[in-house]
Amino acid sequence: MSRKILVVDDEPNMVEVVRMILEGMGHEVLRAYSAEQGIQFAGDPDLDVILTDLRMPGMSGEAFIAHCRSERPNIPVIIMTAHGTIKSAVECIKAGAADYLTKPFEPEEIEIVVHNALKLRDILNENRALKATVQAQSAKHTLIGVSAPFRQMLEEIRRVARHKSTVLIAGESGTGKELAARTIHVWSPRKDGPWVAINCAAIPRDLLESELFGHAKGAFTGATQSRPGRLEQAEGGTLFLDEIGEMDPSLQAKLLRVIEGHDFSPLGSNQTRKTDIRLIAATNRDLEDSVRRGAFREDLYYRLNVYRLTIPPLRERPEDIPVLATSFLQELTVEMDSRVSGFGAGAMDVLTRHAWPGNVRELRNTVERALLSCAGSEISVSDLPAEVISGRPRPAPPLPMEPVPDSGINLDRWIEETERRAILTALKEASGVQARAAKRLGINQRSLWYRVKRLGIKIDRKAS
């Protein structure tokens, strides 16, 4: 496997000898003839190992190693020295070197030392990835923030979680209503019970009843066997109904019965089943207005609105933007196997100034887009989307050509399918050549590779 190795020495002949040996091993070699020049190459995000002379004019080898250990601690440094004594070996290790070579050396010595350094590099990367994975997985299901509105919301969640009361979570799209609901479950006495979530807007009206209540064998065409619904699956735990405002009025009446009588009947069955669940619902709609218009049952609204938790929009808690952006970056670098370590000067200021009409979801998507565009070790202002830099809101996605059905659409699924079709079309037109397809789509090849992997697209490359 080819790796990228930096060789730093003020003797050009020595650099060439080492280059020939390393390239003979199949590696890519960067050459520098001073420590100052080596610093310029040391920032390469794909760099794996550094070989450097210890005594050079200008900046010393020790100072160069100290810089590398400070800025790139996961890259092993091998020192090449003409003073091969026990004392010099100890000095090399104290300076932060992973190993050292005494000049003159045989090609086999370089091969062994570099091989060991690469193994060390892989171990350090694995440890870093494992640590980041643990942090990211923890952050995925954790509410994050430091602002006063966030702390107040967190205290409300802590207080209501102890009880079985039904909770109605209100907030704009993308504020994290499901995460708040999951936190209530985790902090509740039912934390060891099941957590079951269903998006009422994502399932067609004629399927939602079966999905929620389950069905008996023969209840409808295709029902070849009985199937439990989400209510039964949530027994002893928490049932989360997202986008409750989209529920059909006929189903609203059946849900009201579940809340009042703690029982239900599967579709196509005369049997009544008792249920013990904690119900949490969420909406980004004005349910009071829906009640006034007759689109939502008033009695159900009051049953759901026992305790109302409002998630503040991101624009009202700008202090949370840096911690959220950093958390998303840690999570995404693991998912995308990226070496980007943070945000550069000015980038975080731009993120903090933006109004975020799409709230936390928009912020995460922005960090992901910036990560795909980033070619260095830090996200810079130029990596951010134009609408975030300029402060203009992102244009709404185009509507589907066909009319929206009465049952509605799953916007996230529709966007994913649109993206899939665009990528497949570009790949077909480019005969499977990813570089050409990426150019047609207006994205870089790394971004295309990530999207292809995420969407599970198989590339069939044909001769062009």
Side-chain angles (χ1 to χ4, degrees):
M1 180 180 176
S2 177
R3 302 295 188 92
K4 187 178 287 188
I5 300 174
L6 171 62
V7 180
V8 185
D9 200 308
D10 60 312
E11 298 180 18
N13 289 338
M14 178 57 65
V15 173
E16 287 304 303
V17 168
V18 176
R19 177 191 66 80
M20 291 173 62
I21 295 172
L22 294 175
E23 288 184 350
M25 295 170 62
H27 300 306
E28 179 183 351
V29 180
L30 303 177
R31 290 167 287 178
Y33 302 98
S34 67
E36 291 83 357
Q37 189 178 9
I39 287 177
Q40 298 176 17
F41 288 110
D44 189 319
D46 296 323
L47 192 61
D48 291 296
V49 175
I50 298 173
L51 282 86
T52 180
D53 190 17
L54 194 59
R55 298 186 179 181
M56 295 178 284
M59 177 186 250
S60 67
E62 289 91 342
F64 173 64
I65 295 169
H67 172 86
C68 293
R69 298 302 298 159
S70 172
E71 299 297 322
R72 306 299 301 277
N74 286 333
I75 297 182
V77 178
I78 300 169
I79 291 178
M80 301 180 293
T81 176
H83 307 278
T85 64
I86 296 297
K87 183 179 179 181
S88 65
V90 172
E91 289 174 351
C92 291
I93 301 303
K94 282 184 177 180
D99 210 333
Y100 81 105
L101 287 164
T102 302
K103 299 178 183 177
F105 39 73
E106 297 295 329
E108 291 80 8
E109 294 180 77
I110 290 187
E111 292 180 9
I112 292 171
V113 170
V114 169
H115 175 74
N116 290 338
L118 288 171
K119 286 177 64 177
L120 174 61
R121 168 72 165 156
D122 290 340
I123 291 171
L124 292 172
N125 279 341
E126 287 175 8
N127 288 343
R128 171 178 169 268
L130 181 60
K131 181 179 178 182
T133 299
V134 172
Q135 292 174 340
Q137 290 299 324
S138 176
K140 262 186 178 180
H141 303 299
T142 304
L143 288 168
I144 297 172
V146 294
S147 66
F150 175 84
R151 293 198 304 270
Q152 180 180 344
M153 178 192 71
L154 211 60
E155 181 55 36
E156 286 188 69
I157 289 175
R158 195 180 303 278
R159 186 165 57 248
V160 75
R162 297 194 296 264
H163 308 286
K164 189 184 175 181
S165 303
T166 302
V167 179
L168 178 61
I169 303 178
E172 297 177 6
S173 180
T175 50
K177 295 186 289 294
E178 181 171 352
L179 186 54
R182 182 184 284 271
T183 304
I184 292 174
H185 170 73
V186 170
W187 289 356
S188 77
R190 295 173 172 259
K191 62 183 179 180
D192 295 326
W195 159 264
V196 179
I198 184 170
N199 189 325
C200 300
I203 301 175
R205 179 177 54 190
D206 54 344
L207 297 180
L208 183 57
E209 182 176 3
S210 172
E211 191 71 23
L212 187 58
F213 297 97
H215 63 256
K217 181 179 179 181
F220 50 83
T221 303
T224 57
Q225 59 183 9
S226 298
R227 180 178 178 274
R230 302 297 179 91
L231 274 167
E232 189 172 341
Q233 293 170 5
E235 182 68 20
T238 302
L239 176 64
F240 174 61
L241 299 177
D242 199 6
E243 303 299 346
I244 188 70
E246 308 296 330
M247 181 176 283
D248 185 79
S250 63
L251 279 182
Q252 293 177 26
K254 294 188 175 184
L255 180 62
L256 179 64
R257 174 184 168 181
V258 173
I259 298 174
E260 291 181 335
H262 306 290
D263 59 35
F264 70 97
S265 296
L267 189 64
S269 172
N270 294 324
Q271 294 182 344
T272 299
R273 300 182 181 179
K274 286 291 182 181
T275 181
D276 175 24
I277 61 166
R278 204 272 177 79
L279 184 63
I280 303 176
T283 182
N284 60 8
R285 285 193 173 193
D286 184 346
L287 282 190
E288 292 90 339
D289 180 63
S290 297
V291 169
R292 286 191 294 270
R293 292 186 291 102
F296 199 85
R297 292 181 63 108
E298 184 176 20
D299 46 4
L300 177 59
Y301 169 71
Y302 288 119
R303 283 290 188 177
L304 293 174
N305 198 33
V306 174
Y307 190 94
R308 188 184 188 91
L309 176 69
T310 301
I311 310 296
L314 195 53
R315 62 181 173 275
E316 293 181 5
R317 47 188 186 109
E319 304 94 329
D320 295 336
I321 293 173
V323 290
L324 283 166
T326 301
S327 176
F328 292 146
L329 181 64
Q330 292 174 346
E331 173 192 334
L332 289 164
T333 50
V334 174
E335 291 183 5
M336 299 164 63
D337 192 25
S338 170
R339 300 183 183 183
V340 175
S341 59
F343 295 89
M348 190 62 77
D349 291 337
V350 171
L351 294 178
T352 305
R353 288 196 302 268
H354 188 56
W356 301 110
N359 293 293
V360 178
R361 183 184 296 123
E362 182 190 1
L363 175 59
R364 187 187 187 282
N365 290 343
T366 295
V367 174
E368 181 175 352
R369 289 173 64 186
L371 197 55
L372 290 168
S373 301
C374 182
S377 60
E378 291 184 327
I379 291 176
S380 65
V381 173
S382 61
D383 295 320
L384 299 175
E387 64 270 15
V388 173
I389 298 173
S390 65
R392 295 193 302 271
R394 182 180 303 177
L399 293 173
M401 296 300 293
E402 64 273 8
V404 176
D406 293 340
S407 58
I409 62 170
N410 183 331
L411 184 59
D412 290 336
R413 190 179 302 160
W414 179 83
I415 291 173
E416 182 177 295
E417 287 304 315
T418 302
E419 182 181 19
R420 183 192 303 276
R421 286 196 299 271
I423 291 174
L424 287 171
T425 300
L427 286 167
K428 182 178 180 181
E429 293 172 350
S431 300
V433 180
Q434 293 189 55
R436 293 185 202 165
K439 188 174 182 181
R440 296 183 73 87
L441 292 166
I443 58 179
N444 60 43
Q445 192 171 350
R446 181 182 177 192
S447 174
L448 175 61
W449 175 87
Y450 171 68
R451 293 165 192 264
V452 165
K453 182 179 179 182
R454 175 169 57 82
L455 295 170
I457 295 173
K458 294 182 179 180
I459 298 178
D460 180 19
R461 180 168 179 173
K462 301 176 182 178
S464 56

